[in-house]
Amino acid sequence: MTGIKCPQLIKAIEEDLAASNAIVIQIVSTNEELLKRRLNEVAPEEWQDLNLDLTPREYVMDYLMSAFPIHLHSIHSGEDGEERSEPVFDADGSPVISIEAVALRDALVDKLVSLDPIPGALEQLLWHFGHKQVAEVTGRSKRVLKDDSGRLFVDSRGSGANIAETAAFMADEKQILIFSDAGGTGRSYHADLNAVNRRRRSHYLLEAGWRADNAIQGLGRSHRTNQASAPVFRPVTTNVIGERRFISTIARRLDSLGALTRGQRQTGGNGIFEAKDNLESNYAEHALYELFRQIYQGRFYEVPLGKFEQMTGLGLTSHEGGMKIDLPPLRQFLNRLLALRINMQNIIFERFELLLSQQIEAALAAGIYEMGVETLRAERFTVESQEAVYTHSATGSVTNYLKVERTQKNNIRTAEEMLEFASMYQGKLMVNTKSGHAAVSIPTHSIYDADGGVVPRVLLVRPQKETHIPVKDLESSTWKAVCVDAFVAGWSIFIRPI
């Protein structure tokens, strides 16, 4: 995944540097232990002329050689009629080796050996931008660098390297700072008003890790008091949809951390994650059930039931031939999904995500979506009535029901703002030929009908509301695409002064 991620990351960093931003990159893995093992295999006098493979290739090969199943099995039916796979033994009682399985294992090892090594993200960033431009605050005592000629060499670092590198970044001597857990506490990388480097920080969360408290600590290094400007947080992921499995865990733990520490669910995530990013919610459970139903009923045409059960090892069919009552849990489904080929992983995950969005959208439309603890803002709040609903017998504490009226100012965007909005989101300018009102139509996620068919939709953005409309319904309605002048005239109806 690192090889997919880094080219786009490097391009984004270069764009931020061109905009005169200072770059802060948060990572977890530094490959330090792997590097130490590799260096132990090389004589110190050869360190200055290295071509190290800093990947776990050898460990994966060792695992394949020892754990790949090569023993022959046969299928037997038990007394209960259920089929079982049992190992085959020869006359001496030794397990029989499958020639076909050995050939598969050896072919896999050969392919693994032929793959080009992909350096870790830390090495790629150091080699691309150069160690003279990058401050590394990871606590590594040794690292592999590239000189001007492209030759690799080992750089030994002292115990004060973290302090010196941080000082160089804050003094604006280095434009990029990369830190790991070793530099995630007790240090500040923000645009301090007392520092030479007061440029706005672009904070890349390159590797979120599994601990929400560590992620929060890292994000807090570049967002502190007495700063010239607030940072821009940029979570980084690959184009592999299944990787959101890991992001979802962080989202859930960040939300939990926020609820425990500051009384609001959204504080932990700092607005980085949306509700749909949490793949372990009740809405995700309902979406998974609907996904399993579509697969079982043959409404997910790209993934037949038998193929799904064979690929994932998850059984949806009961002994009686119907759909199981105790279906596989969500975490097991997500973990099995990561073992599939990328194209199949993307197909299944995309359907799951759309079903999840459909669940959340339906809950919002019905007014039953669980927002958790949230902050409400308005022009004015007025308590219309108060009613005691419960009194605790021991303490006398009273729980009251308040009916509150919220007065909120309409914030209607101008026609110029909507033209920019349409350009940004590939929108179409529309006018209702019956009412003369204007709207912008932008692409949005599809939904599925009762037969599992895809229903393409658009989001119709009007001055005071937004509506999801199937493309077929829009085409047969009185909404028609128009030119800029006609759109501006229709939109301006809502913002004329009274």
Side-chain angles (χ1 to χ4, degrees), residues 139-141 156-162:
R140 294 197 299 179
S141 59
S156 297
R157 313 173 78 211
S159 57
N162 282 357

PDB file of all heavy atoms in Angstrom, residues 139-141 156-162:
ATOM      1  N   GLY A 139      13.417   9.276  16.772  1.00  0.00           N
ATOM      2  CA  GLY A 139      14.227   8.578  17.764  1.00  0.00           C
ATOM      3  C   GLY A 139      15.100   7.479  17.195  1.00  0.00           C
ATOM      4  O   GLY A 139      15.751   6.749  17.940  1.00  0.00           O
ATOM      5  N   ARG A 140      15.161   7.341  15.862  1.00  0.00           N
ATOM      6  CA  ARG A 140      16.000   6.295  15.268  1.00  0.00           C
ATOM      7  C   ARG A 140      17.476   6.636  15.465  1.00  0.00           C
ATOM      8  O   ARG A 140      17.896   7.780  15.237  1.00  0.00           O
ATOM      9  CB  ARG A 140      15.715   6.146  13.771  1.00  0.00           C
ATOM     10  CG  ARG A 140      14.342   5.653  13.447  1.00  0.00           C
ATOM     11  CD  ARG A 140      14.268   5.141  12.012  1.00  0.00           C
ATOM     12  NE  ARG A 140      14.562   6.160  11.018  1.00  0.00           N
ATOM     13  CZ  ARG A 140      14.573   5.931   9.701  1.00  0.00           C
ATOM     14  NH1 ARG A 140      14.323   4.706   9.243  1.00  0.00           N
ATOM     15  NH2 ARG A 140      14.851   6.897   8.851  1.00  0.00           N
ATOM     16  N   SER A 141      18.247   5.639  15.843  1.00  0.00           N
ATOM     17  CA  SER A 141      19.686   5.852  16.012  1.00  0.00           C
ATOM     18  C   SER A 141      20.428   5.695  14.691  1.00  0.00           C
ATOM     19  O   SER A 141      21.524   6.240  14.520  1.00  0.00           O
ATOM     20  CB  SER A 141      20.247   4.870  17.041  1.00  0.00           C
ATOM     21  OG  SER A 141      20.010   3.521  16.633  1.00  0.00           O
ATOM     22  N   SER A 156      24.340   7.584  11.185  1.00  0.00           N
ATOM     23  CA  SER A 156      24.188   7.364  12.632  1.00  0.00           C
ATOM     24  C   SER A 156      23.807   8.678  13.296  1.00  0.00           C
ATOM     25  O   SER A 156      24.350   9.740  12.974  1.00  0.00           O
ATOM     26  CB  SER A 156      25.500   6.839  13.227  1.00  0.00           C
ATOM     27  OG  SER A 156      25.824   5.586  12.667  1.00  0.00           O
ATOM     28  N   ARG A 157      22.882   8.594  14.253  1.00  0.00           N
ATOM     29  CA  ARG A 157      22.363   9.797  14.902  1.00  0.00           C
ATOM     30  C   ARG A 157      22.544   9.694  16.414  1.00  0.00           C
ATOM     31  O   ARG A 157      22.416   8.630  17.005  1.00  0.00           O
ATOM     32  CB  ARG A 157      20.874   9.979  14.577  1.00  0.00           C
ATOM     33  CG  ARG A 157      20.570   9.816  13.103  1.00  0.00           C
ATOM     34  CD  ARG A 157      19.081   9.823  12.847  1.00  0.00           C
ATOM     35  NE  ARG A 157      18.533  11.177  12.876  1.00  0.00           N
ATOM     36  CZ  ARG A 157      17.300  11.474  13.261  1.00  0.00           C
ATOM     37  NH1 ARG A 157      16.511  10.517  13.697  1.00  0.00           N
ATOM     38  NH2 ARG A 157      16.872  12.717  13.228  1.00  0.00           N
ATOM     39  N   GLY A 158      22.805  10.842  17.029  1.00  0.00           N
ATOM     40  CA  GLY A 158      22.993  10.888  18.470  1.00  0.00           C
ATOM     41  C   GLY A 158      21.686  10.996  19.220  1.00  0.00           C
ATOM     42  O   GLY A 158      20.608  11.114  18.630  1.00  0.00           O
ATOM     43  N   SER A 159      21.772  11.004  20.554  1.00  0.00           N
ATOM     44  CA  SER A 159      20.570  11.040  21.385  1.00  0.00           C
ATOM     45  C   SER A 159      19.856  12.381  21.318  1.00  0.00           C
ATOM     46  O   SER A 159      18.666  12.472  21.633  1.00  0.00           O
ATOM     47  CB  SER A 159      20.942  10.735  22.839  1.00  0.00           C
ATOM     48  OG  SER A 159      21.924  11.665  23.296  1.00  0.00           O
ATOM     49  N   GLY A 160      20.557  13.433  20.913  1.00  0.00           N
ATOM     50  CA  GLY A 160      19.939  14.749  20.844  1.00  0.00           C
ATOM     51  C   GLY A 160      19.396  15.100  19.478  1.00  0.00           C
ATOM     52  O   GLY A 160      19.065  16.273  19.219  1.00  0.00           O
ATOM     53  N   ALA A 161      19.272  14.101  18.595  1.00  0.00           N
ATOM     54  CA  ALA A 161      18.828  14.372  17.220  1.00  0.00           C
ATOM     55  C   ALA A 161      17.414  14.934  17.178  1.00  0.00           C
ATOM     56  O   ALA A 161      17.118  15.844  16.399  1.00  0.00           O
ATOM     57  CB  ALA A 161      18.920  13.097  16.385  1.00  0.00           C
ATOM     58  N   ASN A 162      16.520  14.394  18.010  1.00  0.00           N
ATOM     59  CA  ASN A 162      15.130  14.865  18.005  1.00  0.00           C
ATOM     60  C   ASN A 162      15.033  16.351  18.333  1.00  0.00           C
ATOM     61  O   ASN A 162      14.298  17.111  17.692  1.00  0.00           O
ATOM     62  CB  ASN A 162      14.287  14.066  19.001  1.00  0.00           C
ATOM     63  CG  ASN A 162      13.902  12.695  18.465  1.00  0.00           C
ATOM     64  OD1 ASN A 162      14.219  12.356  17.327  1.00  0.00           O
ATOM     65  ND2 ASN A 162      13.238  11.913  19.277  1.00  0.00           N
TER      66      ASN A 162
END
